[in-house]
Amino acid sequence: MDEETRIRALWDANAAAWTHAVRSGGIRSRRVATDGAILDAVLARHPRTTLDIGCGEGWLVRALAALDIDVLGVDGARALIEQAQAAGPGRYRVRTQEALGEHGLDARFDVVTCNFALFGKTVVERLFERVPEWLHPGGALIIQTLHPDSVCDGAEARDGWRSGSWQGCGDGFGDAPPWYFRTLASWTALIEASGLRVVERRTPRDPEGGRALSLLLVAEAA
């Protein structure tokens, strides 16, 4: 099984544990900074419609729908979509990032979000080629991912596959999916290659000590 396939399989296998971790508030970084950061970034665009790629158990879909935003959540892990659907109202589809990159999506949105959801290499590159097709004029792609500083801890940052970890997420997890690390320069290059440009960069930080908890990028059509 290649790395891209393992990502989806292991998210499916850990869907119940992940859902509990998110809904119980058990992941401190999300609780103190990153959940609020992605929500604030989306709301700053005043969207009427949003696509959440890699929606997981659906928390962001529910949060936006509660504010009368028309939002569609898609995820390649069927078990996570089932968790999302069981949580209440919301529009969801089982759709892998491979399928999105290959077949596209017959819809347009004011905002497309990818919140800690971009783990692959080739799959993500192909996905980004299609993103501009899904944005209304003036729309934005908003990405939140691990901050290079928090991953490299002072070491030289290089793109490449890394082993996953559930550290800080609580109990009940099995093997963690691998993920493909990108530097800030690589993220910027990937976004620009798709025909978008980064217009805003944020670094959500831990309120205790100021450590970078994530990297948040907002991109628009070039």
Side-chain angles (χ1 to χ4, degrees):
M1 186 183 298
D2 64 29
E3 300 290 65
E4 307 274 12
T5 305
R6 288 183 65 223
I7 291 171
R8 186 170 64 255
L10 289 172
W11 273 106
D12 255 321
N14 289 282
W18 177 254
T19 298
H20 175 73
V22 172
R23 295 180 185 175
S24 68
I27 305 173
R28 183 179 180 277
S29 59
R30 298 178 63 112
R31 193 172 66 247
V32 303
T34 64
D35 280 3
I38 188 71
L39 191 57
D40 288 348
V42 173
L43 296 180
R45 307 292 306 192
H46 306 289
R48 292 171 298 176
T49 57
T50 299
L51 170 66
D52 187 18
I53 297 176
C55 66
E57 56 72 55
W59 81 268
L60 185 56
V61 172
R62 293 191 298 276
L64 295 174
L67 298 172
D68 294 324
I69 296 170
D70 182 8
V71 53
L72 171 64
V74 299
D75 201 290
R78 181 174 297 275
L80 283 170
I81 290 294
E82 290 172 352
Q83 293 280 357
Q85 291 171 330
R91 291 199 299 135
Y92 301 98
R93 294 186 196 173
V94 178
R95 189 69 62 89
T96 66
Q97 292 180 14
E98 292 95 325
L100 287 172
E102 182 175 355
H103 304 295
L105 193 65
D106 187 20
R108 285 179 176 262
F109 305 87
D110 297 323
V111 169
V112 173
T113 59
C114 301
N115 185 46
F116 294 112
L118 300 172
F119 302 108
K121 182 183 184 298
T122 304
V123 166
V124 173
E125 293 165 359
R126 292 174 178 168
L127 177 71
F128 271 41
E129 292 174 2
R130 306 302 293 262
V131 169
E133 302 173 13
W134 307 329
L135 290 173
H136 285 305
L141 168 67
I142 302 177
I143 300 165
Q144 184 164 221
T145 187
L146 292 174
H147 197 286
D149 288 351
S150 66
V151 175
C152 298
D153 195 25
E156 182 180 0
R158 295 182 180 179
D159 291 10
W161 284 101
R162 306 215 174 191
S163 298
S165 171
W166 298 116
Q167 183 178 358
C169 295
D171 301 325
F173 289 90
D175 291 341
W179 62 290
Y180 191 82
F181 171 79
R182 289 178 170 86
T183 64
L184 174 58
S186 293
W187 278 117
T188 302
L190 182 61
I191 290 167
E192 292 179 349
S194 75
L196 303 176
R197 63 187 178 91
V198 176
V199 296
E200 185 177 356
R201 186 177 77 195
R202 304 183 187 182
T203 304
R205 296 184 179 276
D206 192 326
E208 297 180 7
R211 181 172 64 91
L213 294 178
S214 68
L215 172 67
L216 196 151
L217 302 172
V218 181
E220 298 174 345

